[in-house]
Amino acid sequence: MAFDSRRGFLKRASAAGLAISANHLLAPFVRAQTGGLASSIFRFDLDSRRVLPALDRNVFGSFLEHLGRAIYEGIYDPNSKFADANGFRKDVLEEIQKLQVPIVRYPGGNFVSGYHWLDGVGPKQDRPKVLDKAWNSLETNQFGTNEFLLWCRTVGTQPLLGLNLGTGTPESAAALVEYCNVDKGTKWSDLRRKHGIADPHKVTHWCLGNEMDGPWQIGHMSAVEYGEKAADAARQMRYVDPSLKLIACGSSGPTMPTYLEWDREVLEQCYDYVDAISLHRYFDNTSETGGDTAKFLALNLSMERQIAEVAAVCDYVQGRKRSPKKLWLSFDEWNVWYRAHSGPAMDGNRKEAPHLLEEVYNLEDALLVGGLINSLLRNSNRVRVGCLAQLVNVIAPIMTNSNGFYRQTIYYPYNWALQFARGAALDVLVEPGPSYEVPGYGQVPYLDVAGTINPDDGTVSLFVLNRDLSKAHQLELNWEAKAGSRLLTSYVLTGSDLKAVNGFDAPQRVAPQAAEKPVTSSGVTKIELPPRSYSLYQWGI
Ligand code: AHR
C-alpha cells in the first residue's frame, strides 16, 4: 500500500535518532537517593506568576476517521441493539459523553484527501458506495457531514472538520463552509436546508488538508504548491465566514526528510491566512527504542522537542513577515501505534468496515500516553488543539463488538486528563531528581510531573509518571502559598506486567487502583510513586 512508503522514510530517519538531554521545561531539582527509594522535592507555588495561560480544553481532543470500524460499527451502527433513532451507538455515545471529549477531528486522516463531501449528504438511498483509495475499503457514505455534526451535538463536543486538499479544490472547501455555516439564500446553504437542516452548523475549526508532505497521501504535492493551495482555500473560506480558525498542514513528523523545511515553505505561502499549523506523531517501542521500555517511556520528551522545533519555525516565519500574529499549534494526531501498522492491518480488501489499525494497548503504552499528556500540559500555552488518534476501534481507547465495548489501557490516562486537568497548567518546578541515561536523550529524570490549578473550584491536580521500572520514588510536595490541602482523589495505573492488555475476555486486567493516600504535615505532602506507574492526585485548596 501507499502507506508503506512512509514506513521506509520512518525507518531511515529514525535511524538518525533524536537527541534530547532532559525535560528542559521541568527544571528538575534532585534530592538525595536513599537505598532503593529515591527522594526528590517537588515545589510549586500557587502564585499566578507560576501558572501558564488558561488551559484550552481542546488540547485533549480526539479523532474519528472513516477508517476500519471507527465510524461504522464504532459510533454508527443502525443494525446494532444499541442504536438510537439516528443509528448512533448509544453505549459508545454515552461513554464519550462521560469522557467529555472537547473536540473531535473528522473525517480524516488519509481518507479525507480523496473524499467528496457531496457524496455524504442528502437522502441516504441516493448516496454512492465508493472505493476509499486511502485504505482500500468500501465507503457507503451512509454517515457524512450532517450525521457527524448531529453526533457532535448529541455528545456535547465540537467538530474539527478536515478538508480535502488532495483531490479537492479550494472552491469545494469553501462550498463546504458555505453548506455548513451560511444561514440561507445561497446555493450551498439552500442545499443544506433542502437536506432538512435549517440551522447552520457554525463549525469554527478546520484542517486545511492532511499530511500533504507524505508520498502516501492522495494528492501529495510540494510544500510551495500546498502552501499556495492552502492560502487560496483559506482566503475563499474566509470570504464565506471570517470567523473560522484554520490549521495548515505541517510535517507528518520528525522522521520525514522534509521535516521543518516543509513547515517553513508552507508558512512562507500561507502564514497570513491561517491561525495554526498541525503536528502529528506516533510512538513505537521497536524502531525508535529497540524494545527498550526505559527508553520508550522517555519518548514524551521528544514530543516536547518537536513542539519547540515547530514553534520555532512558526516564529521564524512570523519574524520574516514582520507579522504581529503568532500561530498556535494543533497536535491533531498523536498516540502509540506500531503493531497494527503493516500488512493486513492496513489493507481494507475492498470491504465495508474492515478491521484496520486495531492496535491492542498494554500497560507500558498507557504509561507513555500519560507522559505525552504531561508534555501537552506543559506546552499548553502554545498547543491549543490536540487529538488523541483515534477514539473508537482504530488505534483507540474504546473498542466495540456487537455486544458492547471495553476500555483499552490508554483510556485511563486520557480520561484523567479530561476529568482533572482543568483551569491552567502549573509551571511546576521540580528539583533535579534521580535520572537515568538514555542513549541519544541524555539524562532523563525518573519522575515526570505536570499539574493544573483550577480557580473555579479551588482544586489542584498532579499527574506523575514514574519511569523507573524497578524502584519507587518519593515526591515531597511543598505547599508554599497555602499550607492546608484536602486530598480529593488519588489513583495509580501500574502493574507487574508491562505487556498486560485488556480485552473483551479481561476488560479490567489493567485498570486504575486507589493510590496510597499521601500524608501531609507542616505544609509538606509526601507521595510514594510505585515503579512503572502513572498517578493522579487531586486536592482541594
Ligand atoms: O490515524 C491514522 C493515520 O495516520 C491517518 O489517517 C493519517 O493522517 C496518519 O498517517
Side-chain angles (χ1 to χ4, degrees), residues 3 6 63 65 67 105 109-111 135 210-211 216-217 280 282 333 337 357 389-390 394-395:
F3 208 92
R6 180 188 183 190
F63 177 27
E65 178 168 357
L67 195 186
R105 183 168 177 252
N110 296 338
F111 171 82
W135 301 105
N210 178 70
E211 295 189 347
W216 61 87
Q217 198 69 210
H280 288 183
Y282 293 100
E333 286 189 34
W337 174 27
L357 282 63
Q390 301 191 12
V394 170
I395 43 175

